[in-house]
Amino acid sequence: MCRTWPSLSTSRSRREWPFALMFLFLVNFFFLCSTHLHWSEDRGGRRLQSESIFEKESTSILYTVTSLAEYNTKGRSTIRDNSDRLQQTIIPALAEGVKSMLSFGYRVDVVFIAGYNLLPQRKQLIRDSLPDQVKLEFWEDAIPLGYDAGSFTEGGDTKSRVGDRTVSLARQHRFVVKDKFLEYDLFVNFEDDMLIKGDHVMHYLEVSEEIEELKRSAVDGDVPELKPGTDKKRFYTGRFHGNLTKGQLNRIIPGFIRAEVLLSEDNAGSSNSFRSFPVPIDNESKSKLDPSPCCHVSKEFASKARPAAPSSSQIIFWETSIMALGIRQMPLSSDLGWVAMLRGPKSVGEPNTMLGDYWSGADGYFSGNRRPAADSRNFINNQGGWMGTRQQIWTWHTEVCQGSFLPPFDVGHFRFDGLDLRDVEWWSGGLHLVTLRHACNMQRIVTLEGFDRHLIYHTANNKQSSKGLNHFSRASDLLGQLRTVQKNAERSIQGQD
């Protein structure tokens, strides 16, 4: 029974990582020469350097897919039959995504992490769905063994027991990322029913590059606009435009919003069937939402449950809402423009690392209702996965996150090497990156100009039936509302001037 991924030694402490990596640099000398990877000294200590992804002829991607169930079961609230999930959902999403990434010129390999064992003929189905140049590896029966975290005590409680930690299957991709850390430029890690296309990868890299450009010219300390004697925390958290410090930019990453395709307009009826909020919709902006980057699929992938070319009005989401969101104008020296600030992080630490925004309710749309808490699960926006460049992951692991981002997971922030009560959303939904407690407290942004490339397709399309449409909103309405909030924020800036 295979329960572990053959990775770098998990007995090393976090501070020993640079030495382990230096050893690998020597062993893999020719590989390192070909990727131009090297160390350089920086004020904060040693850091990993590589040439810009945009300077490379072909960006290499490791796409890791985690799958808990090979077949659907009626026991789950989102499932109506005992169908073949591997063939109907998992393989189509994987194959469509990989082919899309290849069409953008990326080099892609796949690791398939399964909480079950696959018959040889079932593995062959996955292999046959992918182009020959894509390397495919399997990690089967990958659910880790661990203590029942709810009953375990350090005193040796006799009720403690070892068993499958099914919820921690979502943790396992971190071992794969660590093991293959030097081999790829970008790591894409998502649940098995998410469609990640070349559009998403390209936009993520472009936005990340813009952020890196801003870092190169940003100040290490406070921005020049901060006047002596000013309350620093109030200054930074109340500020939604202007220059950013390096500390602030270190916390910013591109984010995503899960979406589904409305399968029946008849079921939706009028817009009143959806969750609605009293923020006016800018109809000109609403009409500009392009559904193709997230949710158009090839005829080979299309089915009754997955329309080939849904309209913009069919793209719906449920993980957040305009009531929770705010916007910010990124520095004028970049091309990022206005961005939506997704929920999750809190304002703690040094004031010059905190980020403010212009809340959608600042103009009284919500009749005195307060903004939902930053970490409210109803608005926090579980992404169903995450992606990161090698440099980003190294920064998260060594500088940003409380505890480690990659294994071994630091005692003090993790119990039982992470096999505790953390849920799927914490590991694979991206909440480790964007929440505060024992986590990274990163701030995800969604660019309004590239809004449609931040939407990612939950191809199972089953949340709309299990939750009901009163939990959903149209993505085009959200874009129109964000543009309305942008106009309000621009008027506020003019008033300050």
Side-chain angles (χ1 to χ4, degrees):
M1 185 182 298
C2 179
R3 297 283 180 160
T4 59
W5 177 260
S7 63
L8 298 175
S9 171
T10 57
S11 64
R12 291 190 177 96
S13 70
R14 190 173 170 196
R15 67 183 60 184
E16 291 177 302
W17 253 71
F19 301 104
L21 288 173
M22 283 294 286
F23 173 75
L24 287 177
F25 275 103
L26 297 174
V27 173
N28 296 284
F29 176 76
F30 293 106
F31 165 74
L32 297 172
C33 288
S34 66
T35 57
H36 303 284
L37 199 62
H38 60 276
W39 291 104
S40 72
E41 294 299 325
D42 195 21
R43 293 182 184 179
R46 202 167 259 173
R47 63 189 175 95
L48 195 62
Q49 291 283 348
S50 63
E51 66 177 342
S52 169
I53 282 179
F54 297 98
E55 296 173 2
K56 300 191 69 173
E57 292 183 3
S58 178
T59 297
S60 58
I61 298 172
L62 182 65
Y63 185 16
T64 302
V65 175
T66 301
S67 176
L68 175 61
E70 184 178 3
Y71 295 92
N72 288 320
T73 59
K74 291 183 180 179
R76 298 179 62 199
S77 62
T78 55
I79 300 301
R80 299 291 179 263
D81 57 35
N82 294 316
S83 53
D84 188 341
R85 192 166 184 276
L86 182 70
Q87 292 199 72
Q88 294 180 6
T89 302
I90 300 172
I91 291 178
L94 173 62
E96 185 87 356
V98 168
K99 291 173 183 176
S100 174
M101 293 180 205
L102 291 173
S103 73
F104 277 70
Y106 302 123
R107 179 173 70 81
V108 185
D109 292 332
V110 172
V111 172
F112 191 90
I113 302 175
Y116 46 87
N117 286 304
L118 284 156
L119 294 171
Q121 55 267 38
R122 303 284 280 178
K123 288 184 181 180
Q124 194 60 45
L125 288 173
I126 300 174
R127 175 66 270 176
D128 292 344
S129 73
L130 301 174
D132 292 339
Q133 71 264 37
V134 176
K135 181 180 178 182
L136 173 63
E137 296 182 65
F138 292 94
W139 181 6
E140 302 173 76
D141 193 22
I143 295 174
L145 293 172
Y147 287 105
D148 180 345
S151 64
F152 181 86
T153 64
E154 296 292 345
D157 185 350
T158 56
K159 295 181 180 179
S160 301
R161 62 186 184 273
V162 174
D164 285 348
R165 297 292 298 151
T166 304
V167 70
S168 297
L169 176 67
R171 180 200 68 161
Q172 303 297 69
H173 69 275
R174 303 293 176 89
F175 291 92
V176 176
V177 172
K178 178 179 179 179
D179 186 44
K180 298 181 177 292
F181 187 68
L182 300 180
E183 300 178 34
Y184 296 91
D185 302 308
L186 181 73
F187 296 85
V188 178
N189 310 275
F190 279 85
E191 296 168 6
D192 61 5
D193 53 7
M194 300 304 302
L195 176 56
I196 310 302
K197 298 165 72 173
D199 304 83
H200 300 115
V201 170
M202 181 180 70
H203 190 63
Y204 182 93
L205 292 176
E206 288 177 345
V207 173
S208 296
E209 182 71 4
E210 287 285 339
I211 295 169
E212 288 300 316
E213 283 291 333
L214 288 171
K215 284 183 189 178
R216 294 181 189 113
S217 58
V219 296
D220 285 315
D222 293 312
V223 294
E225 297 90 331
L226 180 66
K227 297 178 181 179
T230 302
D231 183 316
K232 288 188 178 183
K233 182 174 182 178
R234 179 174 294 182
F235 172 81
Y236 283 109
T237 57
R239 182 178 163 91
F240 59 89
H241 63 97
N243 293 321
L244 291 164
T245 69
K246 284 186 178 178
Q248 290 174 310
L249 290 163
N250 273 338
R251 293 186 51 228
I252 297 177
I253 54 173
F256 297 101
I257 300 173
R258 285 203 296 177
E260 288 192 352
V261 171
L262 179 64
L263 296 178
S264 174
E265 286 285 354
D266 294 334
N267 291 341
S270 69
S271 294
N272 294 330
S273 301
F274 292 94
R275 181 174 56 172
S276 62
F277 297 93
V279 177
I281 297 170
D282 185 290
N283 287 315
E284 181 181 355
S285 299
K286 171 182 175 177
S287 65
K288 293 180 179 179
L289 179 72
D290 181 1
S292 61
C294 82
C295 304
H296 281 195
V297 299
S298 64
K299 292 181 179 179
E300 179 185 5
F301 183 33
S303 67
K304 183 178 180 181
R306 279 188 304 271
S311 67
S312 60
S313 65
Q314 288 179 266
I315 312 305
I316 57 178
F317 69 98
W318 70 99
E319 297 281 11
T320 189
S321 79
I322 187 63
M323 184 176 181
L325 298 177
I327 63 171
R328 184 181 185 102
Q329 186 182 39
M330 297 297 282
L332 299 178
S333 58
S334 79
D335 293 327
L336 294 174
W338 286 90
V339 300
M341 307 278 277
L342 297 182
R343 300 300 273 164
K346 293 186 176 181
S347 297
V348 298
E350 292 297 322
N352 60 12
T353 67
M354 299 176 186
L355 290 154
D357 61 17
Y358 187 91
W359 179 41
S360 60
D363 294 278
Y365 293 124
F366 303 120
S367 302
N369 290 331
R370 299 181 65 180
R371 187 176 190 177
D375 56 358
S376 169
R377 284 292 183 106
N378 291 328
F379 302 97
I380 205 168
N381 189 54
N382 162 31
Q383 297 183 162
W386 60 274
M387 65 177 73
T389 67
R390 185 170 53 221
Q391 180 64 61
Q392 285 174 326
I393 295 170
W394 183 255
T395 301
W396 303 339
H397 182 72
T398 60
E399 299 177 27
V400 175
C401 300
Q402 300 180 68
S404 47
F405 186 74
L406 299 177
F409 299 104
D410 290 350
V411 175
H413 291 286
F414 298 85
R415 298 172 69 217
F416 318 128
D417 204 26
L419 298 180
D420 49 23
L421 297 178
R422 293 161 218 259
D423 57 15
V424 173
E425 286 73 21
W426 199 89
W427 287 111
S428 69
L431 301 192
H432 183 189
L433 274 172
V434 304
T435 54
L436 171 63
R437 191 167 182 264
H438 304 298
C440 309
N441 208 38
M442 300 287 288
Q443 174 64 64
R444 294 168 295 172
I445 61 171
V446 169
T447 62
L448 299 195
E449 282 299 322
F451 182 82
D452 35 47
R453 285 164 176 77
H454 292 272
L455 300 173
I456 50 177
Y457 189 6
H458 180 241
T459 64
N461 262 339
N462 53 19
K463 298 292 186 183
Q464 56 194 285
S465 59
S466 65
K467 289 180 172 293
L469 290 177
N470 61 326
H471 288 84
F472 282 76
S473 300
R474 296 186 193 269
S476 57
D477 287 350
L478 177 61
L479 177 57
Q481 289 172 321
L482 288 170
R483 287 299 192 185
T484 294
V485 177
Q486 175 189 334
K487 292 177 181 178
N488 294 341
E490 289 171 339
R491 282 193 290 269
S492 177
I493 292 173
Q494 292 171 359
Q496 293 172 6
D497 296 339

